[in-house]
Amino acid sequence: AKLTVLSSDREGLPTVLIESLILNTPVVSTNCPTGPSEILTDELSKWLVPVGDSKTLAQKIDEALNSKIEIKEKYFGNIIPLFNKFINHYLEELNLNIKFQFKNNFDINISPIPFESLSNGQKMRITIAILFTLLKIIELKSGTQFNILFLDEFINGSLDINGVEDTLNALKYFANKKEIILITHNNDIKQMDEIFARMFEVKNGKILKIDIK
């Protein structure tokens, strides 16, 4: 992609901005609550535009498409050591005996077990560790603490029952640190409600039942 444009009125944690920056893709975003201004800091803040200002958004899109913007080394060079520190800490806490290294050339090395040889449950634990590593770095850079995290259909259908339980137990570790709201239609998860303190039953966008233990 030549450019990522986020035109939202409201966000939670727009990881698409982080992913785009990692891939050296320029971004233009509305300065909506919450997330864009915490991610696009320093020189990158020039690519934030007011919500609802379509004229300025169009101008910034045109400017970004006609500019040579080098992001990787400038923006992420000092973040890579932090990323490696936190992700390996979280992987250890999640009882996954691997080492994850994000290199300066932005290649990824996972050892001693190749990524392809990991189970789907183990891969999900890596995904969770990456998510909370990115969240931790954003908190450190912005000086803001995120106390609530919404995960909408976070657990996909490729996981078997053991993978689902493995993933939920990994989330349970982080639930001791932050309020996690898991939104799902997965029946396997609904049968494992002992992992969470609260269960929400939702139908047609409305909460029908809340069980509090």
Side-chain angles (χ1 to χ4, degrees):
K2 293 183 178 179
L3 178 68
T4 296
V5 179
L6 186 71
S7 58
S8 301
D9 293 334
R10 181 174 294 275
E11 283 286 340
L13 175 63
T15 54
V16 65
L17 294 182
I18 302 170
E19 293 161 353
S20 297
L21 294 173
I22 289 173
L23 294 173
N24 207 32
T25 301
V27 298
V28 174
S29 174
T30 50
N31 192 10
C32 65
T34 54
S37 63
E38 286 81 16
I39 297 170
L40 302 180
T41 59
D42 302 323
E43 294 182 20
L44 292 178
S45 62
K46 68 176 288 187
W47 303 106
L48 291 168
V49 302
V51 173
D53 189 345
S54 57
K55 182 178 180 180
T56 302
L57 181 63
Q59 290 173 343
K60 286 295 182 181
I61 291 172
D62 184 65
E63 182 182 345
L65 287 173
N66 290 285
S67 301
K68 182 174 177 61
I69 307 170
E70 293 296 333
I71 296 170
K72 281 186 178 180
E73 294 295 338
K74 192 171 192 179
Y75 190 70
F76 284 100
N78 62 340
I79 291 180
I80 289 175
L82 281 176
F83 186 96
N84 289 331
K85 173 185 174 180
F86 287 121
I87 191 170
N88 284 294
H89 167 73
Y90 290 140
L91 289 173
E92 183 178 349
E93 291 294 325
L94 296 177
N95 297 314
L96 192 56
N97 189 26
I98 67 168
K99 291 295 182 183
F100 188 108
Q101 185 182 17
F102 201 14
K103 300 181 180 179
N104 287 334
N105 62 357
F106 295 89
D107 287 338
I108 294 174
N109 181 57
I110 296 177
S111 62
I113 306 172
F115 184 79
E116 298 78 14
S117 300
L118 298 173
S119 69
N120 286 336
Q122 289 172 320
K123 291 176 181 177
M124 276 299 295
R125 274 188 275 175
I126 292 177
T127 299
I128 293 169
I130 291 173
L131 171 65
F132 280 90
T133 295
L134 293 174
L135 187 60
K136 182 67 174 179
I137 290 173
I138 291 173
E139 288 179 336
L140 288 174
K141 283 183 63 65
S142 66
T144 302
Q145 292 292 315
F146 296 92
N147 297 319
I148 300 177
L149 181 63
F150 288 85
L151 299 176
D152 189 359
E153 299 297 347
F154 182 74
I155 300 177
N156 60 50
S158 65
L159 295 175
D160 59 19
I161 187 67
N162 292 327
V164 170
E165 187 171 6
D166 198 28
T167 302
L168 290 176
N169 279 312
L171 287 175
K172 184 179 179 181
Y173 165 78
F174 289 103
N176 293 325
K177 304 174 182 297
K178 296 183 184 296
E179 183 80 10
I180 296 179
I181 307 297
L182 184 63
I183 303 169
T184 183
H185 294 89
N186 189 317
N187 287 324
D188 290 333
I189 296 175
K190 295 175 183 177
Q191 295 169 12
M192 299 177 182
D193 61 346
E194 71 277 1
I195 291 181
F196 293 97
R198 281 177 280 186
M199 295 291 292
F200 295 77
E201 183 178 343
V202 180
K203 187 175 182 180
N204 297 327
K206 297 181 179 180
I207 296 177
L208 301 181
K209 181 177 65 174
I210 302 177
D211 295 329
I212 301 177
K213 299 181 179 181

